[in-house]
Amino acid sequence: MGIKKLIVLGMLVLGAVMPCWADGLFFEDEPVQDGLPVFDMSDTFAEIYQKLDDVNWAGKNLNVAIESLEGLNKSAHIAATDERVVLVWDDSIIANYPRPEKNDWYGFGEITTALILKMRANDPYLRKMSESEIYQAVVDTLVRGVDENGRYIFSKAAEIAEDGRILTSVGLEGMRDERGNFRVTGVYKGAPADNAGIRADDLIVQINGADVRQMTDAQLAAVMSGFNSGTAKIKLLTPMGERDVVLRRATIVLADADVIVRDDKSGGVLEIVVHRVSDGAVQIINEALARYPDVAGVIFDLRAATGDDERAAAKMGGMFVGAVPVMRIVETARDEVEVVPGGDAATDVPMVVLMSNQTRGTAEALVAAMYENGRGVLVGTPTAGSARIATTIDLNNGGALELLNKSVKTGQGNVIDGRGLFPVVCLSNIRTNQQQNAFFLNVINNEFNFQDFNKNPNVNADDIRRGCPVITSGADEDMLAMAVAMQILTDKKIYNRLVAE
């Protein structure tokens, strides 16, 4: 049950003063307004609305989708009632349209296009965005109004982007500070930002002449990355003073998994860090297992792993558990599809599986597969409980929408989505060396009082999370996870005791 990788192409436009509704919001002799093809854009939106209307599982309706467009600018507020669709900018009504009749998809498409044009007229930054940048931001916002995990991708780069191997980006990461500016937290080596001399802790205060504090998160994201190139003029505040930098998005090659060999007296431990459960990650792991067949153990780090490709998850899980059910996919209330790898396991060495609240999607199914088949000790904090995979909705223009509407169960049929999985060893409860020493001593002395919450669906998941909270410092978690994992893998008595749990 593969997941296609496609995209949506098109454009948005807006209608100003409303003509007679029967004649539509736009005039045939004005097919392009403000540089945007209004009829083509309305057609695309009409198709999106029509196909989203069939996704009844979401429990949401077209009102929600339209209203989500206000996320493009903090000044915008959209209200969709049974009778009207109204756009308020700050305290002024700038658009007020009759709500189309039920199943009048083109009417909904026209209103969406008109709303975007009105917003562009009042937002200088939206007005500067290219057609593709606007379309990406708008469709992404629209889809997320129906499904917070839904997304829209460009077809020309779809297969590459879906594999997670290529990113078109300026090459930096960051977050807003308390004043709304964008503080750089990291830079990709060799990326445009790196070549321009941008460093962690630099503050971005202006982009293309616009004050960053007045820009929305979507506008910031459109500058930093996307599926096309683009140039941005950025004003930085650095420890050396103010500096102007010109950045152009470029292609950056990423890996979906990293492998590290950690040497120790037992013959070495293979640390496999999965970023995305994909065919690319499967290939990397398969090559590593073949290259290092004699390692004493494997640390399977899924703490930041995600994925929505069940076939890739089956291949990855199969390398460790063999031809047993890795997960079940719930498509409707009655139908479940069992996913089973096709071959034998590639290794049977002891394993520690690292997990956290950022372990999502099919990565959660992998945690469950290791647990249910006795293939590793679960270490970390509870997973996200967001185990879903995508349905792809193809569009006539060669694009597609992705909605994560299929939930995932464990291979034995236990619920993951909305609940998550829980570790055998909770890292947040053994933060200090003293706590760790006491914990391992209890394990060795058979005094480890273990409660398997994964087998007890009646225990409140929120209560478990409160008892095993998220570790807020990533550096602390890295150090702690590695120390505990190595201790488990290098002491057979500890490993055998914990994996039996």
Side-chain angles (χ1 to χ4, degrees), residues 180-250:
N181 292 310
F182 188 84
R183 186 173 296 280
V184 178
T185 57
V187 178
Y188 293 94
K189 185 177 180 180
D194 184 32
N195 296 333
I198 297 178
R199 297 293 177 259
D201 285 334
D202 286 352
L203 201 64
I204 298 177
V205 296
Q206 197 176 89
I207 299 176
N208 293 332
D211 188 333
V212 169
R213 294 172 298 181
Q214 302 303 316
M215 295 171 63
T216 65
D217 290 342
Q219 291 168 342
L220 269 175
V223 171
M224 301 301 178
S225 63
F227 295 103
N228 57 350
S229 60
T231 301
K233 294 183 178 180
I234 293 174
K235 186 176 291 294
L236 291 172
L237 292 182
T238 77
M240 304 301 292
E242 188 176 287
R243 192 158 70 91
D244 292 324
V245 173
V246 177
L247 296 179
R248 185 170 180 80
R249 291 195 294 270

Side-chain angles (χ1 to χ4, degrees), residues 42-43 47 96 112 148 199 210 235 282 323 350 389 397 423 450 481:
S42 298
D43 283 337
E47 184 186 6
N96 187 346
T112 300
E148 63 183 10
R199 297 293 177 259
K235 186 176 291 294
V282 169
I389 58 176
N397 60 5
F450 173 69

Side-chain angles (χ1 to χ4, degrees), residues 391-437:
T391 289
T392 299
I393 301 176
D394 296 335
L395 300 177
N396 293 331
N397 60 5
L401 306 174
E402 277 192 353
L403 300 175
L404 299 182
N405 65 319
K406 298 178 184 177
S407 66
V408 176
K409 289 184 176 180
T410 73
Q412 295 180 7
N414 296 313
V415 173
I416 306 174
D417 192 51
R419 179 172 177 81
L421 294 145
F422 312 108
V424 172
V425 180
C426 174
L427 284 183
S428 52
N429 290 337
I430 51 173
R431 297 291 297 276
T432 67
N433 288 334
Q434 184 177 4
Q435 289 172 332
Q436 291 175 45
N437 292 335

Side-chain angles (χ1 to χ4, degrees), residues 83-382:
E83 303 294 333
R84 314 291 298 181
V85 178
V86 180
L87 170 60
V88 177
W89 197 272
D90 292 328
D91 296 324
S92 301
I93 296 176
I94 63 172
N96 187 346
Y97 305 111
R99 178 185 170 89
E101 296 294 329
K102 183 178 180 180
N103 298 333
D104 179 6
W105 307 119
Y106 189 77
F108 283 109
E110 276 197 319
I111 285 182
T112 300
T113 301
L115 291 174
I116 297 307
L117 285 172
K118 290 291 187 183
M119 294 173 72
R120 272 169 62 92
N122 288 273
D123 184 341
Y125 190 78
L126 275 178
R127 192 174 183 83
K128 290 179 182 178
M129 292 174 68
S130 68
E131 179 176 324
S132 60
E133 288 172 335
I134 292 174
Y135 210 84
Q136 180 178 357
V138 170
V139 178
D140 185 66
T141 302
L142 187 67
V143 172
R144 289 177 189 273
V146 177
D147 171 19
E148 63 183 10
N149 296 308
R151 62 176 178 163
Y152 145 71
I153 53 176
F154 288 96
S155 56
K156 292 181 180 178
E159 290 191 15
I160 293 175
E162 286 289 316
D163 286 342
R165 293 184 286 110
I166 290 182
L167 171 70
T168 305
S169 169
V170 298
L172 59 80
E173 301 290 340
M175 62 181 65
R176 290 187 186 271
D177 65 8
E178 62 278 2
R179 296 182 179 179
N181 292 310
F182 188 84
R183 186 173 296 280
V184 178
T185 57
V187 178
Y188 293 94
K189 185 177 180 180
D194 184 32
N195 296 333
I198 297 178
R199 297 293 177 259
D201 285 334
D202 286 352
L203 201 64
I204 298 177
V205 296
Q206 197 176 89
I207 299 176
N208 293 332
D211 188 333
V212 169
R213 294 172 298 181
Q214 302 303 316
M215 295 171 63
T216 65
D217 290 342
Q219 291 168 342
L220 269 175
V223 171
M224 301 301 178
S225 63
F227 295 103
N228 57 350
S229 60
T231 301
K233 294 183 178 180
I234 293 174
K235 186 176 291 294
L236 291 172
L237 292 182
T238 77
M240 304 301 292
E242 188 176 287
R243 192 158 70 91
D244 292 324
V245 173
V246 177
L247 296 179
R248 185 170 180 80
R249 291 195 294 270
T251 297
I252 300 171
V253 178
L254 304 174
D256 284 349
D258 294 314
V259 177
I260 304 163
V261 180
R262 296 189 176 272
D263 292 322
D264 72 289
K265 59 184 179 181
S266 301
V269 169
L270 206 61
E271 181 185 355
I272 299 172
V273 183
V274 178
H275 311 295
R276 181 179 175 83
V277 180
S278 67
D279 285 336
V282 169
Q283 182 177 350
I284 292 170
I285 297 171
N286 190 48
E287 290 175 357
L289 293 175
R291 185 175 179 182
Y292 303 102
D294 300 322
V295 292
V298 170
I299 299 173
F300 196 30
D301 191 345
L302 299 173
R303 285 179 299 157
T306 185
D308 59 11
D309 186 335
E310 68 271 28
R311 292 179 299 176
K315 295 174 188 175
M316 190 176 294
M319 287 189 282
F320 301 105
V321 301
V324 298
V326 170
M327 70 181 78
R328 297 183 186 182
I329 300 168
V330 183
E331 298 190 29
T332 69
R334 296 180 180 179
D335 299 325
E336 294 184 8
V337 177
E338 197 172 66
V339 180
V340 183
D344 297 331
T347 182
D348 60 357
V349 299
M351 294 179 64
V352 166
V353 181
L354 299 181
M355 54 200 280
S356 80
N357 67 319
Q358 295 302 308
T359 307
R360 299 172 177 271
T362 52
E364 291 188 87
L366 289 176
V367 171
M370 302 302 118
Y371 162 78
E372 290 183 338
N373 292 282
R375 276 300 286 120
V377 179
L378 304 191
V379 175
T381 54

